[in-house]
């Protein structure tokens, strides 16, 4: 499995969890929404680390504005997810913020899969991919497993 394949798999996991959040929201099941937020955060933690410590540095010179935008989106999404880190947020505005953060996450995923990942595939060399793989080896995945490398 290549580095990009693993990042895409994590996107797919996050998208599946977004569906769970929407179902919980329809039922006004805030504890379930908060649990889903924690699960999304668990998927995105190693994903973001691989991107920000491996992939983004290799692409920053070619796309500084785009990389900065993606990093800012990571912070915005993480902030809302962090509100549920220790349980169900008491703030009545959190469910709405969470749903908006998930809209941003979906848009963010499209930017990465349609722009960033193809650019990385075209631009990065073997040493860059080795650096990305080294970050993944250090942080693993949300499931705790180490991905199989090329």
């Amino acid at each position: 499995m290549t580095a990009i394949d693993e990042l895409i798999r994590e996107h797919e996991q996050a998208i599946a969890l977004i569906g769970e959040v929407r179902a919980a929201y329809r039922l006004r099941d805030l504890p379930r929404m908060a649990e889903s937020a924690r699960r999304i955060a668990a998927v995105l933690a190693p994903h973001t680390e691989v991107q920000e410590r491996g992939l983004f540095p290799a692409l920053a010179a070619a796309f500084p504005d785009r990389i900065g935008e993606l990093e800012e989106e990571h912070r915005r999404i993480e902030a809302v997810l962090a509100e549920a880190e220790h349980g169900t947020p008491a703030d009545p505005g959190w469910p709405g913020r969470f749903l908006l953060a998930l809209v941003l996450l979906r848009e963010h995923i499209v930017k990465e899969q349609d722009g960033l990942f193809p650019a990385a595939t075209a631009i990065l060399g073997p040493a860059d991919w080795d650096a990305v793989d080294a970050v993944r080896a250090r942080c693993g995945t949300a499931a705790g497993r180490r991905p199989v490398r090329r």
Side-chain angles (χ1 to χ4, degrees):
M1 177 174 287
T2 68
I4 297 295
D5 291 335
E6 186 68 24
L7 292 168
I8 290 170
R9 187 188 66 73
E10 289 164 340
H11 281 167
E12 291 167 351
Q13 289 178 309
I15 290 167
L17 290 166
I18 289 170
E20 291 181 19
V21 171
R22 290 194 174 132
Y25 181 76
R26 281 191 300 278
L27 297 171
R28 301 291 187 234
D29 187 343
L30 298 184
R32 191 167 134 207
M33 286 181 71
E35 173 59 28
S36 294
R38 290 186 291 278
R39 291 174 61 202
I40 291 169
V43 169
L44 294 181
H47 177 90
T48 299
E49 186 170 342
V50 167
Q51 289 182 326
E52 292 188 359
R53 297 188 188 274
L55 195 60
F56 289 3
L59 293 169
F63 307 103
D65 293 339
R66 178 61 66 171
I67 297 302
E69 177 184 317
L70 293 171
E71 289 175 330
E72 172 59 28
E73 290 173 357
H74 285 171
R75 299 297 82 77
R76 290 172 50 201
I77 294 162
E78 288 168 346
V80 175
L81 295 174
E83 292 182 61
E85 183 178 0
H86 300 292
T88 303
D91 181 350
W94 179 76
R97 282 193 309 280
F98 184 30
L99 291 177
L100 288 174
L102 295 179
V103 169
L104 175 60
L105 177 57
R106 296 274 316 211
E107 293 168 354
H108 180 87
I109 287 170
V110 169
K111 289 177 191 176
E112 289 182 349
Q113 290 194 185
D114 291 352
L116 182 76
F117 295 168
T121 302
I123 294 172
L124 271 55
D128 299 316
W129 290 114
D130 288 345
V132 172
D133 288 344
V135 174
R136 179 62 79 177
R138 282 193 308 273
C139 70
T141 67
R145 65 180 176 75
R146 301 289 186 223
V148 176
R149 289 289 151 221
R150 47 189 149 98

